[in-house]
Amino acid sequence: MALFNSITKCQTMAEEKANLLSQDSETEDFSSGYDSPEYFSDQDTKRSCSNRLQIVPLSDKSDFSSAESIPFNDYSSEDDDIHNDNDIADSMKVTNVHTLIDNIRYILSMPDLCDVMFIVGPQRVPVYGLKAILSTRSRLFFVMFLKYSKEALKQKKKTKITKHIQPDQSNKLTITIDNYDVDVFRTFLLFVHCGTVEIEPSKVTGLLCLATEFDISDLRNSCWEFIDRCLSVQSFSTILMKETIFYGDHKAAQKLRIKILKLQQRHR
């Protein structure tokens, strides 16, 4: 009954204060310090106490003496724990690009796992690749593979296969690439498959021509950026000029040659 005991104490204090004020008023020579003494009735006392205390009606079954009563905000603590458990992510994203690149490099090093073979350069060196990746990276590769596949199909129809003639078990599409250096073309295919390449002054012109011909924009832009850096060094500009002569028929090589000549004229 803690709430009602608080009201009784307020009433007692109010009555004692009223008695003191009434006694002080009887002595004319002594002032209580109040200009107009105030007297509290029972109703005023209850009203004053009610302003300071918030009396909440409770049911008869409530336990007023419980010192371990749970605040209202704590009733939902158990529900909050359940809600937080439901918020835990039910999936996790894992990315391991390096493993994928290493696997593709390994496939390219195994001719039996590849389905396209390029015969590159005057030395006719075989360079292997994957048609699915090359076709998705370059539309020119896709058109090239489709064209050669149709020609190979027509050739098979014309050829009569007998019991004494064994069919080609390799099942590889073979394409001849004459006008590119073997190392440059291998580096280019590695970038198309894996997305990484190490550009050098001796290869940048060939990579630029290949990236332009097969429309690999990210590699083409990187080659031009590297060329702009090389042109600031005289020895590199000489190497680039020699490479443009080797790829003289290509539009990208001609554009690079003109750029080098203009730069040389400015420094004269």
Side-chain angles (χ1 to χ4, degrees):
M1 302 298 179
L3 298 178
F4 297 110
N5 291 335
S6 298
I7 296 175
T8 304
K9 291 180 180 180
C10 291
Q11 291 177 351
T12 304
M13 294 174 63
E15 291 176 357
E16 292 177 357
K17 184 176 182 180
N19 294 332
L20 291 174
L21 292 174
S22 61
Q23 293 176 2
D24 293 340
S25 63
E26 294 177 359
T27 306
E28 294 179 357
D29 297 336
F30 180 78
S31 174
S32 63
Y34 295 91
D35 295 334
S36 56
E38 296 183 0
Y39 300 93
F40 295 86
S41 62
D42 293 341
Q43 295 180 352
D44 294 333
T45 304
K46 292 179 180 180
R47 188 181 300 109
S48 175
C49 291
S50 63
N51 291 335
R52 286 178 289 173
L53 297 176
Q54 183 178 1
I55 301 175
V56 180
L58 301 175
S59 60
D60 296 336
K61 297 181 181 181
S62 301
D63 185 8
F64 290 94
S65 62
S66 177
E68 298 179 357
S69 59
I70 302 175
F72 177 75
N73 293 334
D74 292 340
Y75 284 118
S76 59
S77 59
E78 184 176 356
D79 295 336
D80 292 341
D81 294 337
I82 298 175
H83 181 69
N84 293 333
D85 292 339
N86 294 333
D87 289 343
I88 298 176
D90 56 356
S91 64
M92 182 175 63
K93 182 179 180 181
V94 179
T95 304
N96 192 351
V97 179
H98 297 288
T99 301
L100 177 61
I101 294 175
D102 292 338
N103 291 336
I104 295 176
R105 286 176 181 269
Y106 175 75
I107 293 174
L108 295 178
S109 65
M110 300 292 291
D112 293 339
L113 300 179
C114 300
D115 54 4
V116 59
M117 180 176 63
F118 298 94
I119 306 299
V120 185
Q123 299 85 4
R124 299 185 62 82
V125 178
V127 181
Y128 300 94
L130 301 173
K131 290 191 295 184
I133 297 179
L134 295 174
S135 298
T136 55
R137 289 279 281 152
S138 171
R139 179 172 177 79
L140 183 59
F141 272 125
F142 172 76
V143 174
M144 182 185 296
F145 296 154
L146 185 62
K147 176 183 176 181
Y148 276 82
S149 297
K150 290 181 179 180
E151 292 179 356
L153 183 61
K154 291 179 181 180
Q155 188 66 26
K156 287 182 180 180
K157 290 182 179 180
K158 293 180 180 180
T159 304
K160 293 181 180 180
I161 301 176
T162 63
K163 295 181 180 180
H164 302 285
I165 301 177
Q166 296 295 331
D168 185 10
Q169 299 295 334
S170 63
N171 196 26
K172 286 186 179 61
L173 183 63
T174 304
I175 300 175
T176 303
I177 304 292
D178 292 328
N179 53 346
Y180 286 100
D181 180 74
V182 177
D183 292 336
V184 174
F185 190 80
R186 186 182 288 110
T187 304
F188 170 73
L189 284 189
L190 185 62
F191 175 80
V192 176
H193 283 88
C194 302
T196 58
V197 65
E198 183 176 353
I199 303 177
E200 299 175 357
S202 59
K203 295 181 180 180
V204 64
T205 305
L207 291 175
L208 175 63
C209 295
L210 282 166
T212 303
E213 180 177 350
F214 290 95
D215 195 20
I216 308 297
S217 59
D218 48 354
L219 179 59
R220 181 178 65 246
N221 296 335
S222 299
C223 288
W224 279 117
E225 182 180 355
F226 183 78
I227 288 171
D228 291 337
R229 297 178 181 179
C230 291
L231 290 178
S232 60
V233 181
Q234 183 64 30
S235 59
F236 286 165
S237 62
T238 304
I239 295 174
L240 294 178
M241 179 60 74
K242 293 180 180 180
E243 292 297 318
T244 57
I245 297 174
F246 180 82
Y247 299 101
D249 296 336
H250 202 284
K251 292 182 179 180
Q254 295 175 1
K255 181 178 179 180
L256 177 57
R257 188 185 305 112
I258 294 173
K259 185 173 184 178
I260 296 174
L261 291 175
K262 288 183 178 180
L263 183 64
Q264 290 177 351
Q265 291 177 357
R266 292 178 183 176
H267 292 287
R268 288 180 181 178

